[in-house]
């Protein structure tokens, strides 16, 4: 079942913050976050496996709620290079199962 | 992070011909690889799961005789689009999973069928 991503699109000025949400009607095994730039393949950002987990690097972080049904990606002090489409990919089961992707959130950072 | 390569990155072929796309995990072994297809401004659509040493598992609506998948080794999976038609034109991307459940995508192959 496809996770629901919100918002669909967001425009930010450099230095502003954004939050992208990914929700599922069922408890998930894991959530994966990717960023895709136009004409390129998605680039792995991070994976969250545990309920209540928060992780991140630099100014991009993510959380996974206790029920493991919602994840949020936090972009702080956005840079022009953050522009792209962000996808969450979810797994229901453990093991190497295919990811089900949300429809994506198009983020545009302007100067 | 782990590195996955795809070849070719771009291919143009004539209607009725076949095209083979290779996906390799360069610095890790992947017992499972996944093939996705993406249309412009759309999300990734899973086509099939490629398992080393066994038959691929295809998603509903994906013709297995048209999209032939072979997972020859722990580092190589191939997708062959047979008798290609213009509607097969798309961006094809493979991914491979690591033991820590991370999945890394190849750079993708843009197929144009004329």
């Amino acid at each position: 079942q496809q996770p629901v991503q919100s918002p669909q699109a967001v425009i930010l000025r450099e230095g502003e913050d954004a939050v992208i949400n990914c929700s599922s009607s069922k408890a998930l095994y894991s959530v994966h976050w990717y960023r895709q730039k136009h004409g390129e393949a998605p680039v792995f950002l991070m994976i969250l496996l545990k309920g209540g987990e928060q992780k991140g690097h630099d100014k991009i972080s993510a959380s996974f709620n206790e029920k493991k049904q919602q994840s949020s990606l936090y972009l702080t002090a956005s840079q022009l290079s953050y522009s792209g489409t962000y996808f969450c990919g979810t797994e229901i089961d453990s093991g190497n199962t295919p990811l089900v992707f949300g429809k994506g959130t198009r983020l545009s950072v302007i100067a | 992070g782990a590195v996955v390569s795809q070849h070719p990155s771009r291919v143009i072929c004539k209607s009725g011909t076949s095209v083979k796309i290779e996906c390799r995990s360069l610095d890790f072994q992947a017992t499972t690889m996944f093939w996705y297809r993406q249309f412009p401004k759309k999300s990734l659509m899973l086509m099939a799961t490629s398992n080393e040493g066994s038959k691929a598992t295809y998603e509903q609506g994906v013709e297995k005789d048209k999209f032939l998948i072979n997972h020859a080794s722990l580092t190589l999976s191939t997708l062959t689009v047979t008798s290609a038609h213009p509607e097969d034109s798309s961006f094809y991307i493979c991914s491979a999973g690591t033991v820590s459940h991370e999945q890394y995508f190849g750079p993708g192959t843009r197929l144009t069928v004329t």
Side-chain angles (χ1 to χ4, degrees):
Chain A
Q1 195 164 8
Q2 187 175 39
V4 177
Q5 266 187 255
S6 63
Q8 288 184 326
V10 60
I11 300 174
L12 298 175
R13 291 197 180 276
E14 267 187 298
E16 291 182 336
D17 302 339
V19 181
I20 300 171
N21 297 304
C22 177
S23 297
S24 170
S25 57
K26 294 183 179 181
L28 300 166
Y29 175 77
S30 66
V31 174
H32 305 231
W33 285 98
Y34 293 85
R35 175 171 61 214
Q36 185 177 30
K37 293 190 178 281
H38 181 68
E40 300 177 8
V43 172
F44 175 79
L45 295 176
M46 65 189 83
I47 178 176
L48 297 109
L49 289 160
K50 300 176 186 173
E53 183 177 9
Q54 287 193 320
K55 67 173 14 175
H57 48 85
D58 202 11
K59 292 173 184 171
I60 300 176
S61 61
S63 63
F64 200 9
N65 75 345
E66 289 287 347
K67 288 187 176 179
K68 300 183 75 173
Q69 286 183 264
Q70 185 183 8
S71 177
S72 295
L73 184 72
Y74 306 94
L75 303 156
T76 58
S78 59
Q79 304 166 18
L80 294 174
S81 62
Y82 287 4
S83 294
T85 300
Y86 289 79
F87 291 99
C88 66
T90 57
E91 279 182 293
I92 297 290
D93 298 315
S94 64
N96 256 330
T97 54
L99 298 176
V100 179
F101 287 91
K103 291 187 177 180
T105 296
R106 189 181 298 273
L107 177 74
S108 301
V109 181
I110 57 176
Chain B
V3 181
V4 177
S5 71
Q6 254 184 267
H7 177 79
S9 57
R10 194 177 285 267
V11 58
I12 301 172
C13 70
K14 292 192 175 181
S15 229
T17 61
S18 295
V19 173
K20 181 187 278 190
I21 303 169
E22 291 188 350
C23 176
R24 292 181 188 272
S25 56
L26 297 185
D27 51 359
F28 66 102
Q29 293 184 330
T31 53
T32 307
M33 290 183 175
F34 306 98
W35 286 96
Y36 294 86
R37 183 174 180 176
Q38 187 178 34
F39 292 104
K41 297 186 180 180
K42 297 292 184 183
S43 188
L44 296 102
M45 281 176 36
L46 178 68
M47 297 176 66
T49 301
S50 170
N51 302 297
E52 188 268 337
S54 63
K55 290 183 180 179
T57 304
Y58 290 82
E59 295 300 297
Q60 195 170 14
V62 178
E63 298 176 58
K64 57 183 70 175
D65 294 331
K66 181 168 184 62
F67 298 100
L68 300 177
I69 290 172
N70 186 306
H71 200 138
S73 73
L74 287 172
T75 59
L76 173 64
S77 175
T78 60
L79 168 68
T80 302
V81 183
T82 62
S83 187
H85 291 285
E87 56 265 30
D88 297 325
S89 298
S90 191
F91 191 44
Y92 293 87
I93 320 174
C94 70
S95 75
T98 68
V99 292
S100 51
H101 294 281
E102 296 164 353
Q103 288 194 22
Y104 291 89
F105 284 90
T109 296
R110 192 163 301 283
L111 170 65
T112 304
V113 184
T114 60

